[in-house]
Amino acid sequence: MSHTPAESTESAASSTPADSAAARFRSEVTVELVKHSAADSDVLWAARVSTAGEQSLEELQKDPERSKGLINYLMRDRHGSPFEHNSMTFFISAPIFVFREFMRHRVGWSYNEESGRYRQLEPVFYVPGESRKLVQQGRPGKYEFVEGTQAQYELTGRVMEDTYCRAYDAYQEMLAAGVAREVARAVLPVGLFSSMYATCNARSLMHFLGLRTQHELAATPSFPQREIEMVGEQMEARWAELMPLTYGAFNANGRVAP
């Protein structure tokens, strides 16, 4: 089955062998905020303890809006530790190659990912949607991505779907023959969807966003792969709701992690 820009973000194979007939193809990632302890006031009591000691606890009952100037000062002058006293846990569903990039972010992050050793992996695979620019132009370090042609989108969808189905058929054949899951999974491509919990604080998330999203307010341009940027955009939207003053200061100061 050929994938075209007009298709929905998830579809099922219709002309593949029986074992891979349930294969599904997605062009979107998903991010769910499952747990959090994060508010602008967390930044304030952490910062004020240096001068107020135990009286800094009073910040828990005060409106953080009255101290947004302090938050901006901390961000501007890069006093970063007060932004670490909070926590957000996200449940993320994305292709494996996105998680391989995620693991480069280690400070202030905790991860637990679905395991192909302990469960049979589901046949859900990534195929770019119509908004994903397909063609890279320019030399390394100075390149851009541009829209693909209709033929290129159709080719990409057809080749990726066919490859995915063949790989999953091989995976199932090995499992049926008694081969261990941890061995059989080696034939599966990085376009396979996986899921993980990722826990971070505001400071580590700001560092992630500074590198993995493009934004007009960024003091230092970044050129992330689009698929991890899609994850970053959803995480950013949820964080902005939890800590609006911190988020505003982040944008006002060039989107640089303090």
Side-chain angles (χ1 to χ4, degrees):
M1 183 183 71
S2 296
H3 177 91
T4 66
E7 290 183 13
S8 62
T9 58
E10 182 169 337
S11 58
S14 58
S15 58
T16 57
D19 284 346
S20 60
R24 301 190 302 280
F25 307 106
R26 292 176 52 183
S27 61
E28 298 296 330
V29 302
T30 57
V31 176
E32 180 182 356
L33 179 66
V34 297
K35 180 182 177 182
H36 68 86
S37 175
D40 289 315
S41 58
D42 298 332
V43 180
L44 297 173
W45 54 252
R48 292 196 188 281
V49 71
S50 62
T51 57
E54 68 278 4
Q55 294 179 2
S56 60
L57 291 171
E58 296 175 3
E59 292 296 335
L60 293 172
Q61 282 75 45
K62 293 180 180 179
D63 181 2
E65 181 74 27
R66 59 184 283 278
S67 297
K68 66 179 180 180
L70 174 57
I71 292 177
N72 188 73
Y73 160 74
L74 295 169
M75 190 77 69
R76 184 194 67 212
D77 285 15
R78 306 193 73 181
H79 296 288
S81 58
F83 297 99
E84 297 176 5
H85 295 272
N86 55 83
S87 177
M88 294 164 280
T89 298
F90 299 92
F91 183 73
I92 303 167
S93 179
I96 288 174
F97 66 81
V98 169
F99 291 164
R100 297 297 78 82
E101 289 198 320
F102 238 112
M103 300 307 170
R104 297 177 182 273
H105 298 269
R106 298 180 294 278
V107 179
W109 288 89
S110 298
Y111 303 108
N112 281 96
E113 185 182 352
E114 175 181 356
S115 175
R117 296 184 66 193
Y118 303 120
R119 64 168 301 188
Q120 180 173 331
L121 299 172
E122 294 296 315
V124 182
F125 301 97
Y126 176 74
V127 176
E130 61 180 341
S131 62
R132 209 305 183 190
K133 296 178 180 179
L134 290 184
V135 180
Q136 180 178 326
Q137 295 180 340
R139 58 182 173 81
K142 192 176 182 181
Y143 59 83
E144 63 176 352
F145 285 88
V146 298
E147 301 289 344
T149 65
Q150 179 68 24
Q152 287 172 323
Y153 278 105
E154 292 177 355
L155 172 68
T156 299
R158 174 174 55 79
V159 171
M160 292 180 78
E161 291 184 10
D162 180 66
T163 301
Y164 290 149
C165 288
R166 290 176 183 274
Y168 199 77
D169 285 344
Y171 173 66
Q172 288 193 311
E173 182 180 0
M174 295 171 75
L175 293 179
V179 176
R181 289 185 291 266
E182 65 182 50
V183 176
R185 64 178 176 171
V187 302
L188 295 173
V190 295
L192 181 77
F193 267 74
S194 185
S195 58
M196 74 170 179
Y197 290 102
T199 299
C200 63
N201 58 56
R203 189 183 192 185
S204 54
L205 180 57
M206 284 186 278
H207 183 260
F208 176 89
L209 295 175
L211 293 173
R212 301 300 182 178
T213 61
Q214 289 186 324
H215 199 283
E216 60 183 5
L217 296 177
T220 303
S222 184
F223 305 94
Q225 182 163 340
R226 177 55 188 154
E227 287 75 16
I228 196 169
E229 184 180 35
M230 290 159 59
V231 173
E233 288 170 347
Q234 294 187 46
M235 296 174 74
E236 180 172 345
R238 286 151 181 78
W239 170 57
E241 295 174 353
L242 297 176
M243 303 179 72
L245 300 181
T246 303
Y247 179 65
F250 175 58
N251 282 320
N253 290 277
R255 293 174 67 87
V256 176

